[in-house]
Amino acid sequence: MAFSGKNRSLSLVFFMLLLTWGDCVVLKIVNKLSQGTDLKVHCESGDDDLGKKTISFGKSWEFEFIPNIWRTTLYFCRFSWQGVSKRFDVYDGFKHDACRSVCEWRVSRQGLCTNPYPLYPHRFYCYHW
């Protein structure tokens, strides 16, 4: 049975989804606030509540997950320190497509910075609070 153009396109899309599905993502949170300032983090998704963590300055905490094939995986975290509280989507399957293996977020008083491209270790993208 020969595939028509439409079926061939659908087969290719399905094949590409299978290739990208199942890749484990490690999400790493680094405290870059200031010496002596602990960062309190509470991360969750629609399915998982990862609990509250405390990260000392210069230290990190990480977790891993497998994004779903529909690219709708969403993890968000609440960051708090010294009376300040901020919320941010640290992984969105549509926005963070480049984040394939390790997604590192550096939390500072100004905002969060990430480098989703391992080939460019000095290129950071920052999101201000």
Side-chain angles (χ1 to χ4, degrees), residues 88 104-108 110-116 122-129:
F88 193 81
E104 179 178 309
W105 288 99
R106 297 179 180 188
V107 181
S108 72
Q110 292 75 32
L112 285 103
C113 295
T114 187
N115 176 354
H122 302 292
R123 183 180 294 172
F124 278 86
Y125 298 93
C126 296
Y127 302 87
H128 298 281
W129 300 119

Side-chain angles (χ1 to χ4, degrees), residues 23-52:
D23 292 341
C24 182
V25 173
V26 175
L27 207 142
K28 182 177 183 179
I29 310 290
V30 182
N31 178 352
K32 294 288 190 179
L33 291 168
S34 62
Q35 189 70 37
T37 304
D38 287 341
L39 173 66
K40 292 179 177 45
V41 180
H42 185 192
C43 297
E44 54 189 304
S45 73
D47 301 322
D48 298 313
D49 184 338
L50 303 175
K52 296 177 181 178

Side-chain angles (χ1 to χ4, degrees), residues 1 3 10 13 15 19 23 27 29 37 40 47-48 52 63 66 71 78 82 87 96 107 111 113 120 124:
M1 172 183 204
F3 287 108
L10 288 174
V13 168
F15 179 71
L19 283 178
D23 292 341
L27 207 142
I29 310 290
T37 304
K40 292 179 177 45
D47 301 322
D48 298 313
K52 296 177 181 178
F63 63 94
I66 298 175
R71 296 176 55 191
R78 168 118 356 239
Q82 298 177 334
R87 181 194 177 280
H96 300 120
V107 181
C113 295
Y120 305 101
F124 278 86

